Amino acid sequence: MKLSPPPYQPKNAFTRWLDDRLPVIRLWHDVMGKGYLVPRNLNWLWNFGVLAGIALTIQIITGLALAMHYVASSNEAFNSIEAIMRYVGFGWLIRYGHMVGASLFFAALYIHMFRGVYYGSYKAPREVVWLIGVLLFMLAMATAFLGYSLVWGQMSYWAAQVITGLFSVVPFVGEKIRIWVLGGFAPNAATVNRFFVLHFTLPFVILAVVGLHVWALHRQGSGNPTGIEVKKAEEVVPMQPYYIAKDLVAIGVFLLIFCSLVFFYPNIFTDPDNYIPANPFSTPAHIKPEWYFWPFYAVLRSFTVNFMGIPAKLWGVLGMGLSVLVWGLLPWLDNSPVRSGRYRPVFRCFFLLFMADILLLGFCGKQPAEEPWIRLGQWASLYYFAFFLVILPILPLVEKTKAVPSSVEEAEKKRTDA
Amino acid sequence: MKNSEAKNGKGDMSKDVEGHAFKKPQADLSEQTDKALSGLDRRDFLNVAAVGIAGMGVCGAAIPFIAQMNPSKDVSEQSKTEVDISTIQPGQTVKVVWRDQPVFIRHLTEQEITEANAVALSDLRDPETLEQRTKAGKTNWLVTMAVCTHLGCIPQGSNSSEPRGEYGGYICSCHGSAFDTAGRIRRGPAPTNLVVPPYRFISPSVISIG
Amino acid sequence: MLNLVRRIGFIRLVCLLAGLAMCFVLLWGAFQPRAKQEIDPAARYQKPLKSLKLPSDGLTGHFDKKQLRRGFTVFQAVCASCHGANQLRFQDLAEIGYSKAEIDGIRQEWINRIPDVDPNTGEALMRQPNRNDRITGPYYNPLGSQGIVTAPDLSLITKARKGGAAYVYSLLTGYESEPKEIAERYPQLKTPEGNFYNPYFKGLHIAMPVALLSENQVNYEDGTKASTDQMAKDVTAFLAWSAEPELENRHRIGIGVIAFLLVATGLSVVCCYRIWRKL
């Protein structure tokens, strides 16, 4: 933001006194108040960052309450959660809130990420914002996996077994790493304990990284749907009251969805198998992760043949790892000078196809490891990688973009006229 | 983009006000904000209502998180403790567990009863007779919580190897409260006598606490 | 060529090559011949679940306490000889209308004894369950099943199976004689010795024998006629309660919370609109 916002001016003796000693009100003013200028043409997709933050807050608060009752032991974990559901005051509300909250956190995160891709939010000068965001995504995935394991139901147990199994692909020392991660030869008492400690700690790491994410964003200011940087005072409004009010509406709708699910469909995202206590001697017939991992799970399963001396298992893990990492490469993969998808009709087609492709991948990940889902997943994975690694780098060389207006004001005026 | 040069020159925001290069947008913005805010009377019913209802929502959301710290239902409904007292000899004290806390069951000797009855109520910090602290016709059975009413330590004196203090009952070694043979506070910081839990004799030799 | 490299940039070129490699591997995999997929013949005989209407269904449904009591009667008389309801404690039965005296009667007669220590001698003993003890089955092992196949715990069964209560009801009332066709066409599907044919159970063969055999297998204290269908419905209702005892409460609070949020969100929409209109 190159426009200078109205500076904070303490109104009375107390705020002046406090501002000299600890400028917290100034911080609020600069970050969330009248001192942060936001493009006035943001659409509703720009609310999902705040919504992800709200979901994270819900997760941390409910998680703290759950941690007061949860027993991290392979014999007691499952029963202690059921005891929370039945005997702790409002325990069912807190536990279901944590379960549904995890899903909605990822839902908000995914919309936030797709918005970033479509409007080119990752491009200069906001690459660091994007990179920190991808780091947050990875931390969230790790936290979600650890938390899911803590339930110690059948799906939890086998998730712990399978996901730690990914480490065993590392040549020579893979098996040693797997055993080191688990603290045993299979998920056991030590595993639950360390997973609990990590699951408890990571959210606070996430919180700190969210701070960096917001800091980096505020350094350059928010982007906007036109992809043109704001230049004039007429193109921005202060965060308070305009976007605070808009965020509150979004939070209201978000909470409506959240509460409808918690109170009426709390188990809509879970697998019934996870209400069976972990049994290390029997794997459920069809194991699958929670919905937010389905696309990546499908990528993992799409590598079915050994190739170039690399076993299929290693290809799968490499492919899955790359499918997450490519998000972080985006700022360097796409060097089109045009930022927003609004002015890139060809990109827009590929992007819509990419969204459909992710849904298809997710659908394949949900299905049992049978045909035709494997083959379908292979084609979907192929497009996934092609989109990031082939289409995005080549597109700027061949694509004919629309004329980009010279200012946000002009762009929005054209839009309302049309 | 004129502003950026000026900004590079002076980092301090408060000085920006004087910077002529961006005086105009500055004015525009404050004007804009003021305009928006002036339309919104602070006492505007809708805004007050919105803030109020949001506050209510936050308070409401806090209820479950406060409630969850209460004892869970399976703890608070824990069943009664039944004790067979037929093997407790006069002069002997046993400790049993009720609601995760120890309880003293003391079979008083004739001498201890006499001692307890000899004390004038006016000498007591928390005046209660032995009669009031035991069941009718069972004055030789003193049942009290083994929890000092000062700050919750377990007083000594239940075991013959432990000191009983100068009043022959119990003595709390944490802060020096001494109790007599009726479990009444006689010296030290504890404000009240050892608490008598709810209990009843379900047969001459079995009591049920709780 | 060099020109192209220059235009596309070194980083993008490396990524492009990596991407092409990934695509090629996937393509290679996609064109591999597949083993002919065998359609599981058991799936042909699997039946869709029967529909079941319980009083607790829907957003405003309530548990029928009388039915839950009948359901527990069936559970106690029939299911409990093999299954437990580990997540329930005896005192929880008070919630479906059992008095303290009745609960004491139930727990004293219960099949399982609880390992404990004699407080006087310090010796190990097996005692009657307390009100606070779990309603366990005969095969209960506090350390988990450890690979021994036993009758599953029923306290969460309607949450732990796809189809929920309808599945339990269908299974209980779904025993049939094996279709003749199976022996002729799929001899491998023949019900093994000691198993029973049930088209609602995955794989068709269930180790549990028919549980609800005949009318009046149990005596209902409220005089309801104990037909097998009635017993199945009642015990299913009881198990639905045991899996989600908070259900009524959850729905009741939920309706209030949603109403509150609708008002709050509506108000925030109005405020937001008024603020933006002033621009």
Side-chain angles (χ1 to χ4, degrees):
Chain A
M1 180 62 51
K2 306 297 191 242
L3 295 163
S4 78
Y8 170 65
Q9 276 156 342
K11 285 206 176 59
N12 57 43
F14 171 71
T15 46
R16 265 194 302 279
W17 178 86
L18 186 67
D19 193 51
D20 274 347
R21 286 155 182 81
L22 183 72
V24 276
I25 310 178
R26 180 182 295 275
L27 183 74
W28 175 265
H29 172 271
D30 291 348
V31 176
M32 302 279 283
K34 290 171 204 142
Y36 183 54
L37 302 179
V38 190
R40 58 195 280 183
N41 61 329
L42 300 190
N43 59 31
W44 287 99
L45 288 172
W46 259 262
N47 289 84
F48 283 88
V50 164
L51 293 185
I54 292 290
L56 177 64
T57 312
I58 291 175
Q59 288 308 87
I60 288 181
I61 294 174
T62 52
L64 282 176
L66 289 174
M68 293 186 198
H69 304 279
Y70 176 74
V71 182
S73 123
S74 48
N75 285 336
E76 283 304 311
F78 187 87
N79 286 343
S80 73
I81 289 175
E82 274 307 313
I84 291 172
M85 299 280 289
R86 288 154 194 271
Y87 303 123
V88 172
F90 291 99
W92 53 268
L93 175 57
I94 295 167
R95 197 271 172 124
Y96 278 153
H98 202 68
M99 259 166 76
V100 171
S103 276
L104 290 196
F105 181 47
F106 274 95
L109 215 54
Y110 279 129
I111 297 175
H112 189 58
M113 288 160 67
F114 282 119
R115 187 271 286 160
V117 176
Y118 181 70
Y119 292 108
S121 305
Y122 48 81
K123 290 191 182 176
R126 298 186 187 83
E127 303 98 317
V128 175
V129 183
W130 181 260
L131 274 182
I132 296 174
V134 174
L135 175 66
L136 278 173
F137 177 52
M138 292 197 259
L139 285 171
M141 293 210 290
T143 311
F145 156 69
L146 292 167
Y148 191 63
S149 297
L150 291 185
V151 181
W152 220 243
Q154 272 289 66
M155 279 294 165
S156 301
Y157 181 90
W158 293 100
Q161 172 82 316
V162 168
I163 299 301
T164 54
L166 297 179
F167 289 103
S168 64
V169 299
V170 179
F172 310 117
V173 290
E175 190 58 20
K176 282 212 173 71
I177 295 177
R178 190 185 77 86
I179 290 170
W180 175 76
V181 169
L182 286 174
F185 301 96
N188 62 8
T191 316
V192 198
N193 234 319
R194 65 188 56 188
F195 277 20
F196 179 56
V197 171
L198 293 172
H199 181 69
F200 194 99
T201 312
L202 275 182
F204 299 100
V205 176
I206 291 180
L207 209 57
V209 180
V210 166
L212 295 180
H213 191 61
V214 174
W215 188 8
L217 172 74
H218 283 227
R219 183 85 185 151
Q220 290 296 337
S222 302
N224 68 75
T226 64
I228 307 160
E229 293 293 340
V230 285
K231 298 184 191 79
K232 286 183 282 185
E234 290 76 38
E235 292 167 350
V236 292
V237 289
M239 178 96 178
Q240 155 75 12
Y242 295 97
Y243 279 104
I244 297 285
K246 196 177 172 188
D247 280 337
L248 282 178
V249 174
I251 291 170
V253 175
F254 177 82
L255 287 181
L256 268 171
I257 296 170
F258 173 73
C259 288
S260 313
L261 292 172
V262 167
F263 287 104
F264 302 113
Y265 305 98
N267 291 309
I268 193 164
F269 297 119
T270 44
D271 197 294
D273 276 321
N274 221 23
Y275 280 106
I276 304 171
N279 178 357
F281 295 85
S282 149
T283 312
H286 171 208
I287 61 164
K288 60 173 194 292
E290 293 279 89
W291 67 268
Y292 37 80
F293 291 142
W294 286 346
F296 303 103
Y297 194 56
V299 171
L300 173 73
R301 294 200 300 201
S302 290
F303 294 88
T304 51
V305 287
N306 297 352
F307 192 74
M308 296 200 326
I310 301 175
K313 182 177 171 182
L314 182 52
W315 273 115
V317 177
L318 287 176
M320 191 171 73
L322 190 63
S323 68
V324 179
L325 286 175
V326 280
W327 288 83
L329 292 173
L330 261 181
W332 295 277
L333 290 172
D334 170 17
N335 70 338
S336 166
V338 180
R339 193 180 279 151
S340 169
R342 270 193 192 169
Y343 307 106
R344 302 179 65 189
V346 186
F347 167 81
R348 182 150 57 186
C349 292
F350 282 117
F351 175 79
L352 290 176
L353 203 58
F354 172 62
M355 294 236 294
D357 184 66
I358 291 262
L359 293 180
L360 180 65
L361 263 180
F363 182 73
C364 292
K366 178 183 190 260
Q367 302 304 323
E370 288 164 8
E371 294 303 339
W373 312 117
I374 299 273
R375 199 191 293 261
L376 204 58
Q378 284 171 327
W379 286 105
S381 305
L382 192 148
Y383 181 75
Y384 182 96
F385 287 113
F387 175 77
F388 279 107
L389 295 169
V390 179
I391 294 168
L392 283 185
I394 290 181
L395 210 52
L397 301 179
V398 293
E399 163 187 61
K400 194 165 157 33
T401 56
K402 286 193 205 163
V404 181
S406 60
S407 74
V408 178
E409 204 179 18
E410 191 193 326
E412 289 302 326
K413 199 161 169 292
K414 265 189 193 157
R415 239 172 103 82
T416 40
D417 290 348
Chain B
M1 295 304 232
K2 274 183 269 174
N3 311 335
S4 61
E5 310 147 19
K7 201 169 181 180
N8 291 343
K10 310 174 187 175
D12 192 347
M13 277 203 178
S14 60
K15 290 196 179 121
D16 285 357
V17 186
E18 285 112 42
H20 59 276
F22 40 93
K23 210 158 194 172
K24 194 169 173 288
Q26 177 66 58
D28 281 354
L29 281 167
S30 345
E31 210 175 277
Q32 211 174 326
T33 317
D34 289 346
K35 203 168 68 183
L37 291 177
S38 65
L40 305 169
D41 188 343
R42 283 205 176 276
R43 270 163 302 217
D44 183 324
F45 170 72
L46 269 174
N47 289 337
V48 173
V51 171
I53 208 164
M56 270 165 64
V58 171
C59 292
I63 291 173
F65 296 98
I66 295 164
Q68 56 91 10
M69 287 182 67
N70 283 323
S72 66
K73 222 168 64 180
D74 55 330
V75 170
S76 53
E77 287 184 13
Q78 225 161 45
S79 46
K80 298 164 192 285
T81 300
E82 285 178 11
V83 193
D84 180 2
I85 55 171
S86 59
T87 55
I88 306 173
Q89 301 304 318
Q92 198 188 350
T93 307
V94 298
K95 260 191 251 180
V96 297
V97 178
W98 176 65
R99 281 193 180 165
D100 302 335
Q101 290 175 305
V103 173
F104 287 142
I105 301 178
R106 184 163 181 155
H107 194 165
L108 298 176
T109 60
E110 285 303 325
Q111 197 203 340
E112 285 171 333
I113 295 173
T114 324
E115 269 174 38
N117 289 335
V119 183
L121 279 187
S122 54
D123 290 348
L124 295 172
R125 183 177 298 169
D126 181 11
E128 260 186 321
T129 62
L130 181 63
E131 229 89 287
Q132 286 168 318
R133 293 173 59 73
T134 51
K135 299 288 175 197
K138 303 274 189 188
T139 41
N140 55 335
W141 291 105
L142 178 69
V143 181
T144 58
M145 297 302 296
V147 179
C148 179
T149 53
H150 179 221
L151 290 169
C153 294
I154 296 174
Q156 295 197 307
S158 60
N159 194 309
S160 55
S161 64
E162 291 173 357
R164 293 190 160 179
E166 63 268 42
Y167 297 96
Y170 306 101
I171 181 151
C172 181
S173 50
C174 287
H175 310 100
S177 295
F179 299 89
D180 66 13
T181 51
R184 296 174 295 197
I185 177 65
R186 299 297 292 276
R187 177 180 64 77
T192 57
N193 302 334
L194 290 178
V195 174
V196 177
Y199 72 97
R200 65 193 171 90
F201 281 86
I202 49 178
S203 79
S205 65
V206 179
I207 61 168
S208 162
I209 307 170
Chain C
M1 184 65 197
L2 206 68
N3 196 27
L4 184 77
V5 173
R6 203 168 294 139
R7 275 184 70 199
I8 200 165
F10 181 68
I11 298 175
R12 270 172 293 284
L13 193 71
V14 171
C15 292
L16 190 73
L17 292 176
L20 287 172
M22 280 325 242
C23 292
F24 189 74
V25 179
L26 284 163
L27 213 57
W28 181 268
F31 281 108
Q32 291 295 310
R34 307 289 146 130
K36 196 158 182 295
Q37 198 104 42
E38 273 182 45
I39 296 164
D40 180 13
R44 304 168 55 109
Y45 297 95
Q46 220 83 55
K47 286 189 182 169
L49 299 182
K50 299 177 185 179
S51 71
L52 171 72
K53 184 96 191 72
L54 288 178
S56 57
D57 288 351
L59 301 190
T60 53
H62 288 281
F63 289 119
D64 175 356
K65 291 242 169 98
K66 278 188 179 158
Q67 184 183 32
L68 299 187
R69 267 189 84 125
R70 291 200 301 271
F72 180 72
T73 310
V74 178
F75 179 82
Q76 186 184 17
V78 183
C79 314
S81 52
C82 295
H83 298 272
N86 300 348
Q87 303 301 343
L88 289 181
R89 288 149 204 273
F90 285 97
Q91 67 196 18
D92 294 341
L93 294 175
E95 277 176 47
I96 58 171
Y98 282 93
S99 69
K100 278 200 166 157
E102 284 173 310
I103 292 174
D104 286 341
I106 291 167
R107 73 181 166 90
Q108 278 155 14
E109 282 167 28
W110 203 257
I111 189 160
N112 261 28
R113 289 289 172 269
I114 311 290
D116 205 342
V117 172
D118 188 318
N120 298 318
T121 63
E123 278 174 23
L125 58 79
M126 301 296 275
R127 62 163 170 80
Q128 284 175 350
N130 285 333
R131 281 193 209 128
N132 201 27
D133 281 320
R134 296 173 183 280
I135 304 183
T136 51
Y139 305 115
Y140 179 65
N141 174 357
L143 301 180
S145 66
Q146 301 292 335
I148 306 148
V149 181
T150 54
D153 170 53
L154 292 186
S155 50
L156 284 166
I157 201 79
T158 63
K159 268 161 117 180
R161 294 289 183 277
K162 233 175 134 190
Y167 170 79
V168 175
Y169 170 73
S170 307
L171 193 81
L172 282 174
T173 56
Y175 286 87
E176 289 171 11
S177 53
E178 187 182 280
K180 285 215 179 67
E181 195 188 311
I182 285 190
E184 291 159 14
R185 290 182 59 190
Y186 305 104
Q188 78 274 23
L189 274 191
K190 205 178 141 11
T191 313
E193 197 63 35
N195 279 27
F196 304 87
Y197 183 83
N198 190 324
Y200 299 97
F201 189 72
K202 193 160 186 339
L204 304 175
H205 312 133
I206 187 166
M208 177 172 94
V210 189
L212 302 170
L213 284 165
S214 58
E215 265 183 38
N216 299 323
Q217 194 175 346
V218 299
N219 280 328
Y220 280 147
E221 40 187 21
D222 64 357
T224 310
K225 192 165 170 292
S227 65
T228 48
D229 189 65
Q230 183 68 40
M231 289 189 290
K233 273 189 182 138
D234 291 347
V235 78
T236 305
F238 167 73
L239 293 175
W241 169 80
S242 87
E244 293 184 294
E246 87 292 348
L247 184 103
E248 273 180 351
N249 223 357
R250 172 153 62 79
H251 284 178
R252 206 192 57 231
I253 297 175
I255 287 169
V257 169
I258 296 291
F260 173 83
L261 281 174
L262 279 174
V263 173
T265 309
L267 204 58
S268 73
V269 169
V270 174
C271 286
C272 181
Y273 175 76
R274 283 158 50 97
I275 287 169
W276 279 85
R277 196 186 50 182
K278 299 221 163 65
L279 264 185

